[in-house]
Amino acid sequence: MNELERRCLEAYRAGRDPSVANGDSLDEWISFGLGLLLFSGRLVREHRMTSLADAAYKADGSPVTQMEEQIELELARRLRGFDRDASIVGEETGGELPRVGIGVAVDPIDGTWSFLGRTETVTTVMAVFRDGKPFLGLIGNPATGEIGYATRGGEARLLQLPVFGEETSASTLPMPRLDRGETLVNLHPGPNAGPLSGALYEEWREGRISMIKSPGGSPSWALLEAAKGTYVYANLWGKRRAAAYDLAAGLLLVEAAGGRVADLNDEPIDPVHHEGPFVAAVDEAGRHRVIEIVRSVRDT
């Protein structure tokens, strides 16, 4: 761990907020974000195996829990003491990303169905914007004890917190991989993903792809996995235009790890307003291969 990470964890374990009041440096924003994700991670772990009595359905048919609003309200409380002028964009409580100044976007439970199903593909996501452009992204997975974060133009970092009594560890992404040119694909499931799934499995049968998985859940978790350097992540993203809390944090992590989150022309996607399919990977050849497969399916 570096000194900033160590200091944040020590403050958290001592029951203190790691952030510095009225701070505005990049390190202070990282401390603020890590503090929120550590708070969220503990809250989600405490509730992920308990009753679902507080779950409800939103107007669009998707589920929501009281804990999600609780996390957003905690963000607002902390932000008032850290940067009173910053705006909040929350998945549950709303808000607008400002064109000028600081905006903080958060999805407290990205992958709510996965949370309610008590699986591991659920995250808390936070992205910090300056003048409409993201400069810090954080993704925390309470089930695995991992927190990834990255800054614009900086490193992508991954913390693994102890679950079974081991020491906390930290890595710079991407991580080393066993590499003989294999392409491992993570396909985001969806009602329109059947033809693409079939094409990918045919590529696997022919030996041009080495593995396919499709666990679903949080797209941000899949983007963090792509930043680790092994998987190529494909998502058809057909529901709606992306919001500020959807893809920006994961995009920063993949880019800081040396990769790209690209559209079907292999052009970088808009972190706030993206629409349509995208493919994310550190491995350029793997990304190109999967983009070609997605394009072939869409052209038929």
Side-chain angles (χ1 to χ4, degrees), residues 151-168:
T151 58
R152 174 71 65 189
E155 291 184 327
R157 296 283 291 169
L158 180 67
L159 303 178
Q160 179 173 281
L161 278 64
V163 175
F164 294 104
E166 75 278 15
E167 294 294 322
T168 301

Side-chain angles (χ1 to χ4, degrees), residues 88-226:
I88 297 177
V89 183
E91 162 74 0
E92 305 307 332
T93 55
E96 295 289 334
L97 187 67
R99 293 185 178 182
V100 178
I102 298 293
V104 181
V106 63
D107 188 344
I109 302 291
D110 186 30
T112 306
W113 276 121
S114 292
F115 170 71
L116 296 175
R118 299 179 174 93
T119 58
E120 76 284 358
T121 55
V122 56
T123 62
T124 297
V125 184
M126 176 177 156
V128 187
F129 296 75
R130 180 179 287 111
D131 299 336
K133 297 181 179 180
F135 69 87
L136 171 64
L138 304 101
I139 300 169
N141 185 324
T144 66
E146 292 172 90
I147 297 176
Y149 71 92
T151 58
R152 174 71 65 189
E155 291 184 327
R157 296 283 291 169
L158 180 67
L159 303 178
Q160 179 173 281
L161 278 64
V163 175
F164 294 104
E166 75 278 15
E167 294 294 322
T168 301
S169 61
S171 304
T172 297
L173 302 179
M175 304 175 78
R177 56 172 287 186
L178 182 65
D179 191 359
R180 296 186 302 180
E182 296 94 345
T183 299
L184 281 63
V185 179
N186 180 2
L187 171 63
H188 199 87
N192 300 320
L196 177 55
S197 177
L200 287 168
Y201 274 95
E202 178 62 21
E203 292 286 311
W204 193 4
R205 189 182 71 81
E206 296 292 334
R208 292 185 288 270
I209 285 177
S210 300
M211 180 183 170
I212 301 168
K213 68 172 185 173
S214 189
S218 165
S220 293
W221 174 241
L223 288 168
L224 175 53
E225 280 197 330

Side-chain angles (χ1 to χ4, degrees), residues 270-291:
D270 185 325
V272 179
H273 303 298
H274 176 73
E275 295 180 272
F278 65 84
V279 177
V282 169
D283 174 46
E284 184 176 10
R287 187 180 71 248
H288 289 166
R289 187 173 298 121
V290 173
I291 286 176

Side-chain angles (χ1 to χ4, degrees), residues 55-58 60-65 68 91-92 112-113 116:
Y57 289 97
K58 295 189 284 188
D60 64 359
S62 62
V64 65
T65 67
E68 295 172 69
E91 162 74 0
E92 305 307 332
T112 306
W113 276 121
L116 296 175

